[in-house]
Amino acid sequence: MTSIKLTATAKLPVAKADTIVINALASSAKSVKALGSPASIEKLAGLNFKLLGASAKSEAISRVSVDGGVVGLVGVGAAISSDQHAREIGGAIGRAFTDVKSIVVDLALASESQTLALLEGIALVQYSFDRYKSAPQERRALSNVTVISPFAISPKAIERIQVLSTAVDSVRDLVNTPANDLTPQLLAEQIKAQAKIPGVVVEIWDEKRLAKENCVGILSVGKGSIHPPRLIKITYTPKVSTAHLALVGKGITFDTGGLNLKPIAGMIGMKYDMAGSATIGVAALAIAKLGLPIKVTAFMCVAENMVSGAALKPTDVIKMRNGKTVEVTNPDAEGRLVLADGLSLASDLKPDLIVDVATLTGAARVALGNRYAGLMGAGNGTQAVIDAAHDTSELLWAMPLPEELTEVIKSDIADLMNSRIGNPSGGMLVGGLFLREFVGKKSASSDEYLNWAHIDFATSANNDLAAYGHTLKGATGAMVRTLVRVAERLSGK
Ligand code: BES
Ligand code: ZN
Ligand code: ZN
């Protein structure tokens, strides 16, 4: 968890023995030059960066010895070009200087927003998951970060960074935790333990309550497991609210594929299949911590998709809570079944916007790789998420919901089927279209869907490659910051 102190100040502090000052290295057509405040740049005059092996390539890190001390350098390419770039440079610095107690980051930043993005980038990488290591792998010394900036940075803005990075870390912890330690009930308890915030109420719906509420999707997916399913409902009611945001998340604590058992290579990683619910639950709590004037109702739809004598069988038909019948041709397309309940519960409340987040389809990875999340939706839902993701620089890509593909999921004997076996085309989009069947209309007489966005982040929820920018290996905590930003924008901030 982030326990580092973040400070912004205009003046370079007096050099201390346990502190490294970090300057930027920028390249132009002719030369490589250091950037920072005049006093620290002066010290670097005359150094031959090339011979020292210091590169201006963006995110390249070097250390040089100057006047008996050490100066850190971070490459920024031609210049720090945007907030996103500043955040990534922050990530590179934060990953490289964990062995030092204090760093002073002195890069000649161009704006207040770049200053904040840089601090956020540093804060976002102060995380490691070593709960299961007998001996901690690395020693983290970094506890003080000072950024040199002529812009006035408010304590509130620093506090917001702390709340956001703590939220991202909390999602990472939940998502990295293996399924033997994160059953649906344990996930519910973890969330409840984090929810002691004014205005927040957490309800944990057990099997009895789920049956009473007609949550057939969650119950059906969960019935093959000895760890029964849960729905975790988080409500945040501020004193004044200008809008109502509903969040829905896929929370499969482990996805074996059910009676369409995944081969081992596909099953590894399926502890991450609850990332959507962790993301929306933690985001709701972060919104409450920030005291935003917006009502939030979050539905974490949590179950373990297992094989057993009680599990769903291919071609079982279930009647969902909105009355539609679904032929479950594919027990591995379980995410859409649990989300269907969350979406119909959310729709009953007629909120201003519904956003669901899920590691829904392998097809998202085929289409978009592993950094961009797929975004679909109805009404002004997708635009709301695009705008927020623009502010946070989180990567997502708008995808269509082609009407003709609705044919693919029509069943011969029920209203819908959850997947057409042998027809993988447009898998991510078909997932979105299936979910849309459970999004309510604006009114009884309207054919317009409520404002809704669906984020399929089977791509970016987990990074199984090397760390880059402010993204670490393993669970990423992607989309938490964007959801908070959606709430800020909806509430007029
Ligand atoms: N949890 C998976 C999706 C997934 C795959 C997430 C890879 C992360 C990485 C989901 O439940 C699933 O199995 N989806 C099927 C959908 C299909 C059966 C319609 C898939 O991707 O094959
Ligand atoms: Zn599955
Ligand atoms: Zn799944």
Side-chain angles (χ1 to χ4, degrees), residues 42-373:
E42 203 178 303
K43 286 196 190 166
L44 302 171
L47 289 185
N48 186 327
F49 295 119
K50 207 168 167 212
L51 285 184
L52 285 165
S55 163
K57 191 169 169 270
S58 191
E59 297 186 33
I61 300 283
S62 14
R63 296 181 191 204
V64 294
S65 165
V66 177
D67 292 348
V70 173
V71 171
L73 293 166
V74 60
V76 298
I80 296 183
S81 55
S82 62
D83 294 356
Q84 163 67 351
H85 193 199
R87 202 179 278 106
E88 262 150 24
I89 296 290
I93 292 171
R95 282 186 284 117
F97 292 93
T98 46
D99 57 317
V100 231
K101 209 166 145 234
S102 298
I103 57 175
V104 173
V105 189
D106 183 7
L107 312 180
L109 291 161
S111 64
E112 180 187 346
S113 61
Q114 278 189 11
T115 308
L116 291 172
L118 184 103
L119 283 172
E120 190 173 288
I122 295 173
L124 284 171
V125 295
Q126 304 309 312
Y127 173 84
S128 61
F129 187 69
D130 40 25
R131 191 179 297 167
Y132 293 94
K133 297 276 190 191
S134 311
Q137 292 301 92
E138 51 170 327
R139 282 261 157 257
R140 260 161 209 281
L142 188 61
S143 58
N144 263 297
V145 176
T146 305
V147 62
I148 306 301
S149 167
F151 308 97
I153 304 297
S154 70
K156 238 184 145 173
I158 301 266
E159 170 67 19
R160 179 178 179 276
I161 292 173
Q162 298 280 17
V163 170
L164 290 178
S165 69
T166 304
V168 168
D169 289 355
S170 162
V171 172
R172 284 166 166 158
D173 271 347
L174 291 170
V175 175
N176 282 327
T177 301
N180 59 331
D181 281 339
L182 201 82
T183 60
Q185 175 62 24
L186 290 172
L187 174 54
E189 286 167 16
Q190 295 267 351
I191 289 292
K192 182 135 193 159
Q194 294 179 31
K196 291 178 191 93
I197 308 162
V200 171
V201 175
V202 175
E203 289 175 24
I204 301 172
W205 294 4
D206 62 5
E207 310 89 290
K208 263 200 190 144
R209 180 73 191 269
L210 285 166
K212 208 172 134 215
E213 304 280 352
N214 230 334
C215 290
V216 177
I218 297 174
L219 284 168
S220 303
V221 170
K223 70 186 179 152
S225 170
I226 58 163
H227 303 295
R230 295 287 181 261
L231 182 136
I232 306 152
K233 181 178 176 187
I234 307 168
T235 332
Y236 164 55
T237 318
K239 289 206 178 79
V240 190
S241 72
T242 47
H244 183 190
L245 170 66
L247 300 172
V248 178
K250 169 175 174 181
I252 302 300
T253 52
F254 198 81
D255 183 9
T256 64
L259 285 171
N260 176 11
L261 199 63
K262 288 181 186 289
I264 187 68
M267 208 186 291
I268 299 288
M270 283 306 129
K271 69 172 182 179
Y272 295 121
D273 214 21
M274 36 56 72
S277 72
T279 303
I280 62 110
V282 168
L285 299 181
I287 291 165
K289 271 192 204 156
L290 292 170
L292 297 179
I294 180 169
K295 185 176 164 71
V296 181
T297 315
F299 298 94
M300 299 171 58
C301 307
V302 186
E304 187 177 70
N305 190 20
M306 283 294 289
V307 276
S308 86
L312 270 173
K313 294 170 293 295
T315 69
D316 280 354
V317 175
I318 55 180
K319 185 166 186 181
M320 306 296 278
R321 81 180 286 288
N322 74 346
K324 293 189 183 176
T325 53
V326 175
E327 185 185 6
V328 183
T329 46
N330 191 343
D332 196 12
E334 81 298 338
R336 58 199 70 185
L337 301 176
V338 301
L339 287 170
D341 288 343
L343 287 170
S344 88
L345 285 163
S347 297
D348 288 353
L349 308 173
K350 296 253 178 293
D352 298 294
L353 172 63
I354 303 174
V355 183
D356 79 70
V357 184
T359 48
L360 200 68
T361 65
R365 298 173 70 84
V366 175
L368 293 173
N370 61 358
R371 294 191 185 185
Y372 281 82

Side-chain angles (χ1 to χ4, degrees), residues 317 327 329 407-417 420:
V317 175
E327 185 185 6
T329 46
E407 292 303 316
V408 172
I409 43 170
K410 284 196 175 140
S411 159
D412 287 340
I413 66 156
D415 300 331
L416 297 163
M417 55 187 176
R420 183 171 289 270

Side-chain angles (χ1 to χ4, degrees), residues 368-373 394-396 459-460 463 465-468 478-479:
L368 293 173
N370 61 358
R371 294 191 185 185
Y372 281 82
E394 292 207 269
L395 300 177
L396 42 80
T459 50
S460 58
N463 173 29
L465 304 173
Y468 60 93
M479 292 301 141

